[in-house]
Amino acid sequence: MDNTSNFLLLFTLFHFLFIAPSFAQQSFRPKALVVPVTKDASTLQYVTHINQRTPLVPLNLVLDIGGQFLWVDCDSNYVSSTYRPARCRSSQCSLAGSTSCGDCFSAPRPGCNNNTCGLTPDNTITHTATGGELAQDAVSVQSTNGFNPGRNVTVYRFLFSCAPTFLLQGLASGVSGMAGLGRTKIALPSQFASAFSFHRKFAVCLSSSKGVAFFGDGPYVLLPNIEASQLFTFTPLLLNPVSTASAFSQGDPSAEYFIGVKSIRIDENAVPVNMTLLSINSDGVGGTKISSVNPYTVLEASIFKAVTEAFVKASAARNITRVAAVAPFEVCFSSKNVLSTRLGASVPTIELVLQNQNTIWRIFGANSMVSVSDDKVLCLGLVNGGPKPRTSIVIGGYQLEDNLLQFDLATSRLGFSSLLYGIRTTCANFNFTSTA
Ligand SMILES: *[C@@H]1O[C@H](CO)[C@@H](O)[C@H](O)[C@H]1NC(C)=O
Ligand SMILES: *[C@@H]1O[C@H](CO)[C@@H](O)[C@H](O)[C@H]1NC(C)=O
Ligand SMILES: *[C@@H]1O[C@H](CO)[C@@H](O)[C@H](O)[C@H]1NC(C)=O
Ligand SMILES: *[C@@H]1O[C@H](CO)[C@@H](O)[C@H](O)[C@H]1NC(C)=O
Ligand SMILES: *[C@@H]1O[C@H](CO)[C@@H](O)[C@H](O)[C@H]1NC(C)=O
């Protein structure tokens, strides 16, 4: 053999090894994927759209940044020629971390097969979990160059869990499951990254209208031609050693993304908070997580009290008048003396100080104030989590909107853009016109 054929042989082997374990399709290999994320007005849930099955069926799924995996209702109208249950003790079961093995005592159909391993799909809105069959089927989404959607790509053996129809209770209407973007090996980011051999990164840009999520690395370009990832400030993602799921096995870590808030400031003045609550203890209690399934940020009671008192005081200093509360909020103001600025209502800035004094997540009026009763009243969009919540600070959807967040699983690092209005764009500005 001469050198050329040696090279070809090597190349072929390498190519085969590269593609075979990933179950990816065709020779076209995308650099990243893109999906729309819309906000459901009645539930305030963020809903994404992907295609699954053969022939493809468009699915609406509630987006759960810290969710463990994709789960869908298999009991109503699941028809697919490419559905495959995961057999007990198969590599799929071990990848999914499932050691269970079960039978189903009715006619075989998707979600009901003998000799299959199972998972525990979790409705993280209602905190309900149940058993479901682990399975594979085709999933198709649009690729992207970061500017527009490109051609559709398919992962033929995408792992997910079936769930019974009742698990959909509490989810937005028209939804058939939840899309988990958490830290597990079978959450959407890891499966897409291994199927297409791209970086184990994903980005989420929530919007009150039509936002966007990306799987893979940037560019993440928003109209008018702004590369939003250039704005990132980085902070470590922390692992909570104890699962925060509704049901779990002992020893399972949390699939959710935690960050290290060290202190909280209002208009640059430190708010007195119990430091113990800010860190995650050995029982997995405490700390700060990012959640797309909480519509508003939730604070442990003593933190809530300290933050709202400081906010009220700083608002009074700006002549902003407090008015009666409007549920679920406890602190509301007349909008009369509140100026509008590029960053939203001109109110005190809430600062989450991270690993050092220079790494600060700033929450401006657009993310802190919720307008109620014909814009006459502005409420501080924080909710009291009571005295002993599992997690002390849950940064919720309203506070995440129009901020681009990138989760880097390989380096365990979060990039956050801060409010995109500062650079005159929004999360609704991805150009969804396909160039395929
Ligand atoms: C599973 O096996 C049992 C016992 O052989 C059988 O009665 C049942 O119909 C099977 N169920 C499925 C879903 O194949
Ligand atoms: C590609 O996916 C998009 C979004 O799901 C869908 O609207 C479009 O019809 C698909 N295109 C093809 C050629 O399947
Ligand atoms: C701080 O919080 C911890 C954990 O809830 C609690 O045990 C401790 O008593 C609190 N300290 C103070 C001074 O309130
Ligand atoms: C607040 O109102 C008082 C009385 O009307 C006025 O003297 C003061 O300058 C105002 N302060 C600010 C910050 O607008
Ligand atoms: C969106 O992308 C399409 C396809 O590249 C392009 O023709 C169009 O001008 C873009 N829209 C805007 C507002 O730039």
Side-chain angles (χ1 to χ4, degrees):
M1 261 197 278
D2 64 52
N3 280 338
T4 319
S5 51
N6 259 330
F7 172 78
L8 271 178
L9 179 64
L10 247 177
F11 179 79
T12 312
L13 271 173
F14 184 66
H15 192 72
F16 180 74
L17 287 172
F18 211 52
I19 296 296
S22 68
F23 311 120
Q25 60 165 48
Q26 66 277 103
S27 51
F28 171 71
R29 191 138 62 77
K31 279 184 56 199
L33 310 176
V34 67
V35 292
V37 182
T38 51
K39 187 170 183 173
D40 178 71
S42 66
T43 59
L44 308 181
Q45 292 163 15
Y46 299 92
V47 177
T48 190
H49 315 278
I50 66 168
N51 300 305
Q52 193 203 32
R53 311 170 199 180
T54 307
L56 289 170
V57 174
L59 298 183
N60 294 331
L61 304 161
V62 172
L63 184 86
D64 183 0
I65 290 177
Q68 304 173 85
F69 43 76
L70 169 67
W71 64 259
V72 307
D73 167 20
C74 293
D75 286 0
S76 30
N77 305 318
Y78 197 113
V79 179
S80 176
S81 61
T82 44
Y83 180 91
R84 300 282 178 273
R87 294 300 170 204
C88 295
R89 291 171 293 278
S90 63
S91 58
Q92 289 85 344
C93 299
S94 59
L95 188 69
S98 172
T99 49
S100 71
C101 184
D103 286 341
C104 185
F105 296 97
S106 73
R109 55 169 179 80
C112 179
N113 288 281
N114 279 345
N115 187 30
T116 59
C117 65
L119 290 177
T120 312
D122 190 355
N123 179 328
T124 51
I125 304 268
T126 58
H127 306 288
T128 309
T130 186
E133 175 170 290
L134 177 66
Q136 295 180 315
D137 208 338
V139 161
S140 175
V141 292
Q142 289 178 301
S143 61
T144 185
N145 57 4
F147 292 79
N148 293 88
R151 63 170 102 172
N152 294 355
V153 292
T154 304
V155 181
Y156 286 106
R157 298 181 198 170
F158 197 95
L159 283 163
F160 70 102
S161 174
C162 278
T165 307
F166 79 79
L167 202 62
L168 299 176
Q169 278 167 25
L171 301 187
S173 91
V175 155
S176 43
M178 296 186 81
L181 308 188
R183 288 172 162 271
T184 72
K185 287 183 184 149
I186 63 160
L188 278 73
S190 293
Q191 284 201 70
F192 285 135
S194 74
F196 299 114
S197 310
F198 54 57
H199 289 285
R200 291 174 60 217
K201 293 180 182 176
F202 69 97
V204 175
C205 208
L206 300 179
S207 168
S208 58
S209 56
K210 187 183 185 184
V212 59
F214 302 92
F215 298 97
D217 209 348
Y220 308 125
V221 182
L222 301 168
L223 294 171
N225 207 15
I226 292 167
E227 217 295 62
S229 60
Q230 71 193 10
L231 297 170
F232 284 152
T233 298
F234 294 100
T235 194
L237 286 168
L238 309 178
L239 178 71
N240 185 331
V242 183
S243 175
T244 45
S246 306
F248 59 94
S249 310
Q250 207 178 355
D252 287 351
S254 174
E256 297 193 274
Y257 298 97
F258 284 73
I259 57 171
V261 172
K262 294 273 177 57
S263 64
I264 304 174
R265 305 194 307 195
I266 307 280
D267 271 351
E268 301 190 358
N269 296 312
V271 175
V273 298
N274 181 341
M275 297 298 288
T276 310
L277 297 169
L278 296 182
S279 49
I280 305 168
N281 73 15
S282 55
D283 297 326
V285 175
T288 302
K289 72 178 183 187
I290 292 169
S291 165
S292 57
V293 295
N294 284 85
Y296 302 102
T297 292
V298 185
L299 301 176
E300 180 276 339
S302 70
I303 301 177
F304 180 84
K305 186 164 181 285
V307 167
T308 51
E309 280 176 6
F311 195 90
V312 166
K313 204 169 142 217
S315 299
R318 296 175 180 229
N319 280 349
I320 300 173
T321 315
R322 193 162 172 193
V323 299
V326 180
F329 309 113
E330 294 185 20
V331 174
C332 299
F333 303 93
S334 160
S335 59
K336 207 169 55 196
N337 285 341
V338 183
L339 299 176
S340 290
T341 71
R342 186 138 60 95
L343 302 179
S346 178
V347 294
T349 303
I350 303 172
E351 299 182 321
L352 305 178
V353 182
L354 300 166
Q355 69 270 28
N356 58 50
Q357 295 287 322
N358 303 321
T359 311
I360 298 176
W361 179 322
R362 290 191 174 82
I363 302 173
F364 300 106
N367 288 120
S368 62
M369 304 312 287
V370 182
S371 181
V372 296
S373 37
D374 293 336
D375 296 348
K376 288 201 182 66
V377 174
L378 288 173
C379 294
L380 179 59
L382 304 176
V383 174
N384 189 337
K388 286 205 181 308
R390 176 67 195 279
T391 300
S392 303
I393 302 178
V394 180
I395 303 177
Y398 194 82
Q399 278 67 41
L400 301 175
E401 286 177 9
D402 294 311
N403 288 248
L404 177 69
L405 302 180
Q406 185 195 52
F407 298 80
D408 184 334
L409 301 170
T411 61
S412 207
R413 188 173 79 151
L414 174 75
F416 58 99
S417 69
S418 193
L419 186 60
L420 295 171
Y421 301 173
I423 51 158
R424 300 180 189 276
T425 188
T426 75
C427 286
N429 276 357
F430 183 72
N431 185 346
F432 273 104
T433 307
S434 174
T435 55

